[in-house]
Amino acid sequence: MKLSKTEQVALISVVVTLGLTLLKFGFYLLTGSVALLADAVHSFTDTFTSILVFLGIKISKRKTASFPYGLYKVENMVSLFISFAIFYAGYEIVREAVAHPSGAINLPIVAAAAAAISTVVSYGLSVYKLKAGKKFNSPSLIADGHHSRSDALSSIVVLVGVLTGFDRIAALIIVFFVIKAGVRPFIDSLKVLLDASIDPETLLKVKDILKSDPRVVKVKSLKGRNSGSFKFIEAVIELKAHSFEEAHEVSEKLERAVKREIPNVDEILIHYEPVSRAHCRYAIPVVNENGTRLSEHLSSAPFFVLVDVDGEQVKNRKVIANPYAKLERHKGPMVAKMLAKNDVDCVIVSSEPPGGVKFILEGMGIELIIAHVDMVEDALKFALKEAQRTGSHE
Ligand SMILES: [Zn+2]
């Protein structure tokens, strides 16, 4: 049987708590300290809690036909259970303090030594589990780490008890910390079980990754939830793509990027919608500043006419100069960048431009329409007719 790192940590915790049980029980027999006996019983129940953590981690890794989203939340259920165990530990301390075991103890120094060893071991175990739990993002290990910390605190109460009779004030102060240790796993596990959102920083990071592709116009909705060690994320994006295949390709690329850059993402689902073309900005390469006649070339056209169309109505029209028209090399990418900066959605040309330009434009989410006409008015008419025919500009 090959164990994962988190399973190993959980198993070590089982062995250590069982060892603590035996140690405390042995020293109870030796000294007759009722406080040590109570602590031994507590450690015995902790052994079962640790077994539960181990089983929880093991079960949570399963994905079956009846649990297609995985059983990750088993870990959160275990955490919730552990938070109750911590609260119970707090109750035990109070009871101990009130009951005030007054029976005579043999060898109080020996009993104190046992309590001191237990304190150190429990604290060490808590550090170990918290560290591994955070490293491997295991909520049940983190909860159990908090639990062991509360155990270390209750052992301090035993220590003070056997040395000084009983210090009720020490007990009450410690109960405060024990309850505090239980509140975190309680709230955290309830939140995950109720599908609370993942943290806003992670969502912001995901949004940045989605927006890194220039074809993504808008992130319309973004939500995510935790499940055990993992995150599930859903996004709706508005995409400037020219085909179903391209849209699919973009969303797959983004899904991979999110999985690569955000740790512990089990699944990210990107739903894409075409950009709504109610408002659309066309760019048409023209030969002069009047902006009436199309240029035969795209990147070396001296001017561009920019036309805003709302539905079927032309709203705005302006002519901009092309500062890269006379460039010897690389003018294709420069012009494409300039058009993208001017929020151009479509470029209308008279004839098919050289292959490279088309790909550069598409990469920036700009559609290329080939109109086979010479006049700007005809080119616009052609584009609007195309838009009507297809419902969009696809
Ligand atoms: Zn405990």
Side-chain angles (χ1 to χ4, degrees):
M1 185 169 60
K2 208 164 176 331
L3 294 176
S4 72
K5 194 77 202 152
T6 43
E7 285 165 355
Q8 283 173 30
V9 176
L11 213 55
I12 286 169
S13 169
V14 173
V15 174
V16 172
T17 45
L18 193 61
L20 280 176
T21 308
L22 295 175
L23 174 98
K24 289 173 198 173
F25 190 71
F27 277 79
Y28 154 69
L29 291 179
L30 209 66
T31 61
S33 161
V34 185
L36 269 185
L37 175 63
D39 215 24
V41 172
H42 180 124
S43 288
F44 193 53
T45 61
D46 285 350
T47 308
F48 286 98
T49 312
S50 293
I51 291 173
L52 201 68
V53 171
F54 174 76
L55 291 178
I57 291 172
K58 242 189 149 38
I59 293 170
S60 72
K61 287 185 181 142
R62 299 225 174 128
K63 234 178 203 174
T64 65
S66 25
F67 294 98
Y69 294 101
L71 285 160
Y72 304 131
K73 283 188 180 176
V74 166
E75 270 211 73
N76 303 107
M77 289 166 71
V78 170
S79 305
L80 188 63
F81 176 83
I82 290 170
S83 70
F84 289 128
I86 298 174
F87 292 141
Y88 186 74
Y91 162 74
E92 272 183 331
I93 294 173
V94 173
R95 205 184 51 185
E96 190 87 346
V98 171
H100 200 301
S102 53
I105 299 172
N106 307 319
L107 310 165
I109 294 299
V110 175
I117 292 170
S118 161
T119 305
V120 172
V121 171
S122 293
Y123 187 74
L125 194 59
S126 90
V127 171
Y128 178 56
K129 285 191 278 198
L130 283 173
K131 211 176 141 195
K134 277 173 191 156
K135 184 169 174 197
F136 300 107
N137 207 36
S138 162
S140 62
L141 268 187
I142 292 173
D144 210 28
H146 285 296
H147 179 182
S148 290
R149 199 188 274 173
S150 77
D151 290 343
L153 292 169
S154 79
S155 289
I156 290 179
V157 175
V158 175
L159 179 66
V160 174
V162 292
L163 281 181
T164 66
F166 217 95
D167 193 332
R168 291 186 186 198
I169 303 214
L172 288 178
I173 291 169
I174 282 168
V175 164
F176 170 77
F177 287 108
V178 169
I179 301 287
K180 216 174 135 225
V183 167
R184 245 187 68 201
F186 179 75
I187 291 176
D188 286 353
S189 51
L190 264 191
K191 273 165 85 179
V192 174
L193 289 171
L194 294 175
D195 284 336
S197 173
I198 57 175
D199 58 300
E201 294 85 53
T202 304
L203 282 179
L204 221 65
K205 249 190 246 166
V206 174
K207 200 170 185 178
D208 284 344
I209 294 170
L210 295 179
K211 279 183 153 178
S212 67
D213 191 301
R215 288 165 289 189
V216 176
V217 179
K218 199 167 151 192
V219 178
K220 284 181 91 177
S221 90
L222 177 63
K223 54 190 177 185
R225 62 190 173 89
N226 282 298
S227 182
S229 311
F230 295 98
K231 294 183 177 76
F232 288 75
I233 299 168
E234 283 166 59
V236 180
I237 55 175
E238 234 178 62
L239 209 56
K240 272 197 220 174
H242 309 98
S243 64
F244 178 74
E245 284 80 14
E246 192 190 351
H248 185 71
E249 191 194 297
V250 172
S251 73
E252 292 237 301
K253 189 197 92 184
L254 291 173
E255 283 174 8
R256 280 197 301 273
V258 169
K259 278 196 173 179
R260 195 172 53 234
E261 281 170 48
I262 311 280
N264 305 308
V265 172
D266 181 89
E267 202 171 290
I268 164 149
L269 216 87
I270 298 178
H271 174 76
Y272 44 85
E273 290 176 355
V275 150
S276 78
R277 285 284 169 86
H279 308 274
C280 187
R281 175 167 282 184
Y282 293 93
I284 306 165
V286 288
V287 289
N288 57 33
E289 218 171 340
N290 300 335
T292 49
R293 184 173 285 274
L294 264 73
S295 158
E296 274 176 54
H297 307 286
L298 202 163
S299 0
S300 50
F303 297 95
F304 280 92
V305 189
L306 302 186
V307 184
D308 288 337
V309 174
D310 190 355
E312 281 168 56
Q313 278 190 309
V314 175
K315 289 274 173 194
N316 276 311
R317 186 191 286 249
K318 68 173 171 184
V319 177
I320 58 167
N322 175 10
Y324 309 109
K326 297 246 158 29
L327 223 58
E328 288 281 325
R329 301 172 62 202
H330 304 304
K331 60 185 153 198
M334 298 304 277
V335 169
K337 239 184 245 171
M338 177 195 75
L339 294 175
K341 228 184 217 162
N342 278 287
D343 294 320
V344 168
D345 301 299
C346 297
V347 174
I348 312 173
V349 290
S350 61
S351 58
E352 184 105 30
V357 179
K358 183 173 157 63
F359 288 117
I360 294 165
L361 286 173
E362 284 185 351
M364 297 191 162
I366 299 174
E367 190 182 348
L368 191 69
I369 298 172
I370 299 151
H372 299 293
V373 293
D374 297 323
M375 303 306 287
V376 166
E377 289 316 308
D378 296 330
L380 266 178
K381 261 185 218 152
F382 177 84
L384 291 179
K385 227 201 272 166
E386 273 292 284
Q388 254 186 345
R389 191 172 60 79
T390 54
S392 75
H393 293 281
E394 301 308 304

